[in-house]
Amino acid sequence: MGLFGNNREQYIISLFEKGDALAMDKLYGEYADYLAKVCSRYIGDQEDRHDVLQEAFIRIFTKIHTFEYRGKGSLKAWLTKIVINESLHFLRDNDPAIFIDKATDIPDCSTEDPDIDSMSITQITETILKLPPGYRAVFNLYVIEGKSHKEIAEILNIKPDTSASQFHKARNMLAKMLKEQNK
């Protein structure tokens, strides 16, 4: 089982601490697919996603010496945070007004939730990716990352009410799209 048992994170960190040339390859091999999926929740275009991931890995490899291991899962959480931050920076840099609440007429679908029991995770994920980038980012931060609207507001430099509004609109838009798919 080795010195670190089955804790791949500790093993990878130990390689970086020793200056082992394989450290980057091991980290990339262990987490690249997962981080690509995280990035795809925020960045729809494949070429843009590739660019964001490249920037994220540059940041990871240049900042790994600042990482402090805090137990199993802490490396994965740290890597995820970097990818999310790079994704959000990309979105902001390419459309500075992306997180500004714009008046949009989206019918309120809150009275009846869509029937998603017959849908696959892939279908639902693909539908989430069709949300406008600002809505998708807030939706992911709230639903998947478990952030509060106050935390999202701080991350995106918007008001908590704007975060809540964008989430509400994203949820309604997603419900409408999912209902249309079930017809």
Side-chain angles (χ1 to χ4, degrees), residues 101-110 131-132 135 165-177 180:
D101 200 16
K102 301 168 187 129
T104 308
D105 290 331
I106 299 171
D108 190 358
C109 300
S110 60
L131 290 170
Y135 290 179
S165 173
Q166 287 207 349
F167 172 72
H168 179 74
K169 290 175 182 179
R171 188 185 66 168
N172 286 338
M173 185 180 280
L174 181 61
K176 181 180 178 199
M177 290 188 293
E180 288 173 3

Side-chain angles (χ1 to χ4, degrees), residues 11-183:
Y11 170 67
I12 290 169
I13 294 304
S14 73
L15 292 176
F16 277 101
E17 289 170 349
K18 291 186 259 180
D20 191 314
L22 290 176
M24 289 183 190
D25 290 339
K26 293 287 185 188
L27 185 138
Y28 186 85
E30 186 75 18
Y31 295 103
D33 288 343
Y34 167 76
L35 296 175
K37 288 176 186 167
V38 170
C39 187
S40 71
R41 293 195 316 246
Y42 297 89
I43 309 297
D45 182 74
Q46 187 173 356
E47 285 183 32
D48 291 342
R49 197 167 42 244
H50 181 268
D51 292 345
V52 170
L53 278 171
Q54 184 174 350
E55 289 299 317
F57 274 105
I58 290 169
R59 183 165 311 279
I60 288 165
F61 294 141
T62 58
K63 298 289 184 185
I64 193 76
H65 67 281
T66 67
F67 171 73
E68 186 177 319
Y69 184 74
R70 296 174 188 232
K72 195 167 186 174
S74 61
L75 178 60
K76 187 175 186 178
W78 185 75
L79 298 170
T80 302
K81 184 176 181 179
I82 290 173
V83 170
I84 291 170
N85 287 339
E86 286 299 319
S87 298
L88 296 174
H89 286 296
F90 176 85
L91 290 172
R92 256 193 308 265
D93 288 350
N94 286 288
D95 184 0
I98 195 168
F99 299 114
I100 296 173
D101 200 16
K102 301 168 187 129
T104 308
D105 290 331
I106 299 171
D108 190 358
C109 300
S110 60
T111 57
E112 184 183 321
D113 288 332
D115 177 23
I116 59 171
D117 292 336
S118 62
M119 300 180 82
S120 72
I121 295 293
T122 303
Q123 287 174 303
I124 295 168
T125 302
E126 287 173 356
T127 307
I128 292 170
L129 290 175
K130 292 177 184 173
L131 290 170
Y135 290 179
R136 185 173 60 237
V138 170
F139 183 85
N140 282 312
L141 288 168
Y142 188 80
V143 173
I144 299 182
E145 305 303 330
K147 303 286 186 195
S148 69
H149 289 299
K150 182 180 179 187
E151 291 170 313
I152 294 169
E154 290 171 8
I155 292 168
L156 301 179
N157 198 25
I158 58 176
K159 295 177 184 175
D161 290 348
T162 301
S163 173
S165 173
Q166 287 207 349
F167 172 72
H168 179 74
K169 290 175 182 179
R171 188 185 66 168
N172 286 338
M173 185 180 280
L174 181 61
K176 181 180 178 199
M177 290 188 293
L178 290 171
K179 284 180 185 179
E180 288 173 3
Q181 287 183 11
N182 274 338
K183 288 183 179 179

